[in-house]
């Protein structure tokens, strides 16, 4: 009988990358980044300089565990990140006393570039100049005329639907908007509004299923209780014998 000896090799396998959180005494935000453990501390500082704004030459890095306890400091610039006990979920806190907290986040003192409409119009390398040169968008007179014509026809059709549908003040109606339950109420307004193009119908609903009290943006079109008013397109409104329904919202 032959004896067989089974030999096994055991080795610890760790990931080549580590996910860490980054904070600093300069910024108020926290970043989450993934770093290769083969980075030297010096290379890591250069990357952190781009993230947090601190100077790689003077920054100090302390490592905190998931319980926010200090594990170690990355002091040797030539050492590899993987030589330190930095695991996924640890926090690297960057200290740079040559900077002031929030100096990279406060934009109040930053001079803003502003260009007047006249100055912008004179430039030849803008989007507007390109559109104008190639007669695109609003600079295409034929296209704009066609769009204006379509708008007029659409509004005329909406108005005709409202008039022929008997959508006058006091008319009982049912509103059917796609994706919503049918609602009943009374027509209180029909016409143009300031907040959207086209023809609109203002409805006072029987129940508080609306969005307003008959006014929008400070302009009043009709009067009703808050949450009882709404505006819909004429094709969503059907006038007829629609008595008040007793809906239970309790």
């Amino acid at each position: 009988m032959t004896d067989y000896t089974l030999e096994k090799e055991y080795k610890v396998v760790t990931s080549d990358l580590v996910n860490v959180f980054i904070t600093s005494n300069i910024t108020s935000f926290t970043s989450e980044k993934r770093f290769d453990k083969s980075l030297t501390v010096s290379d890591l500082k250069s990357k952190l300089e781009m993230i947090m704004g601190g100077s790689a030459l003077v920054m100090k890095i302390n490592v905190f565990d998931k319980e926010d306890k200090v594990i170690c400091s990355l002091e040797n610039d030539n050492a590899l990140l993987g030589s330190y006990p930095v695991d996924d979920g640890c926090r690297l806190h960057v200290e740079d006393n040559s900077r002031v907290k929030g100096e990279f986040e406060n934009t109040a003192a930053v001079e803003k570039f502003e260009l007047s409409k006249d100055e912008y119009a004179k430039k030849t390398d803008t989007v507007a100049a390109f559109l104008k040169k190639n007669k695109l968008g609003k600079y295409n007179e034929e296209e704009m005329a066609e769009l204006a014509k379509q708008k007029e026809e659409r509004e005329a059709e909406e108005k005709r639907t409202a008039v022929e549908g008997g959508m006058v003040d006091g008319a009982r109606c049912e509103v059917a908007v796609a994706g919503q339950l049918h609602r009943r109420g009374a027509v209180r307004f029909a016409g143009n509004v300031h907040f959207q193009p086209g023809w609109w119908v203002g409805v006072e609903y029987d129940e508080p299923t609306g969005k307003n009290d008959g006014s929008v943006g400070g302009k009043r079109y009709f009067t009703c209780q808050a949450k009882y008013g709404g505006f819909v397109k004429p094709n969503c409104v059907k006038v007829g014998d629609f008595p008040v329904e007793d809906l239970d919202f309790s």
Side-chain angles (χ1 to χ4, degrees):
M1 186 171 66
T2 305
D3 292 330
Y4 294 95
T5 303
L6 189 62
E7 296 183 356
K8 294 183 180 180
E9 291 185 359
Y10 293 92
K11 60 180 179 179
V12 177
V13 179
T14 61
S15 173
D16 294 332
L17 303 173
V18 62
N19 291 302
V20 295
F21 296 98
I22 307 167
T23 58
S24 77
N25 68 325
I26 308 169
T27 59
S28 59
F29 59 85
T30 300
S31 295
E32 183 177 2
K33 296 292 180 181
R34 176 182 294 181
F35 294 113
D36 195 313
K37 290 183 178 180
S38 64
L39 283 174
T40 65
V41 172
S42 178
D43 291 336
L44 175 64
K45 287 182 178 181
S46 296
K47 290 181 178 295
L48 293 177
E49 182 175 20
M50 301 299 294
I51 298 170
M52 310 307 291
S55 173
L57 296 175
V58 298
M59 73 168 58
K60 296 180 180 179
I61 307 173
N62 293 319
V63 182
F64 292 78
D65 63 15
K66 295 180 180 180
E67 297 179 354
D68 213 30
K69 296 179 180 179
V70 178
I71 301 175
C72 62
S73 296
L74 308 186
E75 298 178 341
N76 186 350
D77 286 349
N78 296 319
L80 299 181
L81 175 61
S83 66
Y84 289 93
V86 180
D87 297 317
D88 287 345
C90 285
R91 177 169 64 90
L92 307 184
H93 183 70
V94 177
E95 290 279 346
D96 181 354
N97 295 323
S98 68
R99 301 292 186 182
V100 178
K101 185 176 180 63
E103 69 175 275
F104 297 114
E105 300 172 286
N106 183 9
T107 60
V110 178
E111 183 177 353
K112 298 177 178 60
F113 176 76
E114 296 182 350
L115 201 64
S116 69
K117 290 184 178 180
D118 290 338
E119 291 174 323
Y120 180 78
K122 293 177 182 178
K123 295 180 70 65
T124 59
D125 57 349
T126 62
V127 173
F130 175 81
L131 295 175
K132 189 174 183 179
K133 179 180 179 181
N134 294 278
K135 295 183 178 180
L136 300 174
K138 67 179 181 179
Y139 299 102
N140 187 324
E141 295 182 0
E142 292 183 1
E143 181 180 350
M144 295 307 296
E146 179 60 26
L147 291 174
K149 180 182 177 182
Q150 292 177 7
K151 180 181 177 182
E152 291 178 1
E153 291 176 347
R154 186 164 54 249
E155 184 172 328
E157 178 61 27
E158 291 173 346
K159 181 178 180 180
R160 182 163 50 252
T161 299
V163 173
E164 294 178 356
M167 299 175 198
V168 296
D169 188 13
R172 292 291 302 172
C173 67
E174 185 172 74
V175 175
V177 177
Q180 300 180 14
L181 294 174
H182 289 195
R183 293 170 288 176
R184 291 186 178 183
V187 175
R188 296 300 180 207
F189 170 85
N192 295 114
V193 295
H194 76 284
F195 54 88
Q196 286 288 345
W199 203 263
W200 292 80
V201 178
V203 178
E204 180 182 2
Y205 295 112
D206 295 335
E207 301 290 343
T209 56
K211 295 183 178 180
N212 53 62
D213 62 352
S215 65
V216 177
K219 183 174 177 60
R220 181 164 298 283
Y221 294 92
F222 62 94
T223 301
C224 67
Q225 297 182 62
K227 300 296 183 180
Y228 277 77
F231 292 86
V232 293
K233 283 295 186 178
N235 61 356
C236 297
V237 181
K238 182 178 181 181
V239 171
D241 183 18
F242 296 108
V244 178
E245 294 180 314
D246 185 17
L247 301 179
D248 185 8
F249 285 87
S250 60

